[in-house]
Amino acid sequence: MTPTLSPPQAENALVALERLLTGFAAPDALVRPGGEVVEVSATQYRVRGLSRHACIGDVVEHRTERGLRSGEIVRITPDDVLVSPFESTADLGVGTVVFSRGALAARPDASWRGRVVDALGRPIDHGPPLGHGSDHTSERPPAMARQRVDSAFRTGVRAIDIFTPMCFGQRIGVFAGSGVGKSTLLAMLASADAFDTAVIALVGERGREVREFIEDTVGPKNMTKTVAVVSTSDESAMMRRRAPLTALTVAEHFRDQGHRVLLIIDSVTRFAHALREVATAAGEPPVARGYPASVFTEMPKLLERAGPGEAGRSGSITAIVSVLIDGDDHNDPVADSVRGILDGHIVLDRSIAEQGRYPPVNPLASISRLAPKAWNKDERDLVVRLRTMISRFEDTRDIRLLGAYSPGADLDLDVAVRQVPLIYEALSQSPGDPRSVDPFADLARHLRAKEAGNGA
């Protein structure tokens, strides 16, 4: 006698078979816990029947005419679980049968280099299917087991290599308001030649700019060693929340292979916005300008995964994350929290951009906590002198505009008035300009040439 399957059992078998055929499930996954949708909203839905089998972060899925659709469990009660979907809830209705897939993790391998994937690790560049490596455990190396950071590198951007030099394994933030030049600077940093692999997470990016960034900014040459993880602004909060996590998983995979990895996240603020959307919909109360407490718990977990690898291994993850300053308020809760986690911050100033100086790096507000490991004594003394002159020049700007400055009354100010505009000119650099190999020599050469020209 042939056994008869109930509708939920039949649906479970179909979903499991589909996952087996597409290579995303093991043969022992034919039977999985299931439940039934009891409530649907625009951004979330509730499932009854999974509470005893689910954990926070588990993925559930259901079958539609367009294939499998999935979501992540964000809250569990004795009666049901709350699911935030990766796609739209438009194809869901009360009574839809869903099944637990367990925890979701990307499984990157070498074939991911040169590819563009979404937040779930699926290719979106119309290329061949991706290979899948072994399961990756995303754990932060223990503090006492990490390597020391002691090796510097050149980014090729003079304003950064002079005032905020970077080391392999460092985590630094680019803080800027909208439209100041943040993405352009990140593009210049992405083409640094010091790394074996680059991983770029575009979180909440404008859809039309993705191809421009990949094809023009990164370019075919650098793309061969780059993995791009993309979640555009019109995707769900769960996709925007997962994109940087997937990028970190990819970066950790190549770090464990001994690669020096450059990780760029643009931007961590949009990651925080996605965390806020998910958390508030799950019922968490806001505690700081609309942000729930879990936002400030999740950001360190993300950022602490970058950095040097375990002692005895050569791999590292150098992270450059952009922070979008809401309303140009550098005391915004996200900016303030991220600044305390990172190893330095590069501040882009709107007033500098309005003067036509690019990149609009403010050397007085920017700092690299690992700069002493990158400078020698002469370079350190020179940078101190440069900052002193720039500070003196900027502090007296209003006085000079009023005509109250009299040459000869203050010799230090006379030097600053003569030299600082030339320094600003030397620091100006566009994406198409040649990369700077020795920024201090370039600066000295520029100043000598200008002084010789003025003397003539």
Side-chain angles (χ1 to χ4, degrees), residues 148-225:
R148 295 284 300 271
V149 175
D150 55 10
S151 180
F153 68 93
R154 299 293 192 195
T155 67
V157 181
R158 287 186 291 272
I160 292 176
D161 290 339
I162 291 175
F163 291 100
T164 56
M166 297 179 60
C167 297
F168 289 108
Q170 184 171 356
R171 301 163 304 180
I172 198 163
V174 178
F175 290 70
S178 58
V180 177
K182 177 177 71 287
S183 296
T184 302
L185 177 60
L186 289 177
M188 296 172 69
L189 297 173
S191 59
D193 297 326
F195 298 93
D196 305 306
T197 300
V199 181
I200 301 174
L202 301 178
V203 184
E205 192 57 80
R206 303 174 187 89
R208 70 164 184 85
E209 292 184 350
V210 171
R211 284 190 61 190
E212 294 177 6
F213 189 90
I214 298 298
E215 297 174 3
D216 300 337
T217 303
V218 178
K221 177 183 176 181
N222 289 317
M223 193 61 200
T224 58
K225 66 174 185 179

Side-chain angles (χ1 to χ4, degrees), residues 5 8-21 24-34 61 99-101:
L5 296 178
Q9 290 173 326
E11 184 75 11
N12 191 5
L14 286 172
V15 172
L17 180 59
E18 185 170 351
R19 296 201 59 76
L20 283 171
L21 292 175
F24 282 99
D28 60 355
L30 286 172
V31 178
R32 297 175 299 167
E61 56 191 9
F99 296 95
S100 175
R101 177 182 169 182

Side-chain angles (χ1 to χ4, degrees), residues 47-343:
V47 178
R48 181 173 297 156
L50 283 177
S51 297
R52 294 179 179 273
H53 310 284
C55 297
I56 295 290
D58 281 357
V59 172
V60 300
E61 56 191 9
H62 64 281
R63 193 168 62 89
T64 71
E65 294 180 354
R66 292 176 290 177
L68 293 176
R69 293 291 183 264
S70 53
E72 184 175 316
I73 295 175
V74 296
R75 185 178 180 183
I76 302 174
T77 69
D79 299 321
D80 52 38
V81 299
L82 186 65
V83 179
S84 189
F86 295 126
E87 297 90 3
S88 170
T89 58
D91 54 6
L92 273 169
V94 173
T96 300
V97 178
V98 301
F99 296 95
S100 175
R101 177 182 169 182
L104 178 65
R107 294 183 294 156
D109 74 350
S111 68
W112 288 41
R113 283 160 55 101
R115 302 299 301 275
V116 184
V117 302
D118 68 6
L120 301 181
R122 302 175 299 196
I124 58 175
D125 55 2
H126 307 293
L130 292 173
H132 292 280
S134 57
D135 289 337
H136 176 82
T137 302
S138 298
E139 294 183 356
R140 297 174 296 283
M144 295 302 294
R146 284 184 182 255
Q147 304 174 45
R148 295 284 300 271
V149 175
D150 55 10
S151 180
F153 68 93
R154 299 293 192 195
T155 67
V157 181
R158 287 186 291 272
I160 292 176
D161 290 339
I162 291 175
F163 291 100
T164 56
M166 297 179 60
C167 297
F168 289 108
Q170 184 171 356
R171 301 163 304 180
I172 198 163
V174 178
F175 290 70
S178 58
V180 177
K182 177 177 71 287
S183 296
T184 302
L185 177 60
L186 289 177
M188 296 172 69
L189 297 173
S191 59
D193 297 326
F195 298 93
D196 305 306
T197 300
V199 181
I200 301 174
L202 301 178
V203 184
E205 192 57 80
R206 303 174 187 89
R208 70 164 184 85
E209 292 184 350
V210 171
R211 284 190 61 190
E212 294 177 6
F213 189 90
I214 298 298
E215 297 174 3
D216 300 337
T217 303
V218 178
K221 177 183 176 181
N222 289 317
M223 193 61 200
T224 58
K225 66 174 185 179
T226 300
V227 182
V229 183
V230 176
S231 177
T232 55
S233 59
D234 60 340
E235 295 190 52
S236 69
M238 287 306 299
M239 294 292 275
R240 287 180 277 123
R241 174 180 178 266
R242 184 168 284 272
L245 300 173
T246 299
L248 250 305
T249 300
V250 175
E252 287 169 337
H253 167 80
F254 288 105
R255 179 200 64 194
D256 293 344
Q257 305 302 312
H259 291 209
R260 283 177 165 172
V261 181
L262 172 64
L263 172 69
I264 293 179
I265 301 177
D266 184 18
S267 71
V268 75
T269 305
R270 297 192 185 104
F271 170 69
H273 291 172
L275 290 173
R276 178 175 61 184
E277 287 183 45
V278 174
T280 54
E284 287 191 47
V287 295
R289 296 196 193 178
Y291 290 97
S294 63
V295 173
F296 305 103
T297 302
E298 292 298 322
M299 283 196 296
K301 290 181 180 179
L302 172 78
L303 298 173
E304 282 288 349
R305 287 169 60 181
E310 293 189 23
R313 296 187 178 184
S314 58
S316 64
I317 300 174
T318 304
I320 302 174
V321 304
S322 72
V323 183
L324 181 62
I325 304 300
D326 291 336
D328 288 345
D329 179 8
H330 285 264
N331 293 320
D332 173 81
V334 172
D336 205 35
S337 175
V338 172
R339 191 163 42 238
I341 300 169
L342 299 177
D343 303 316

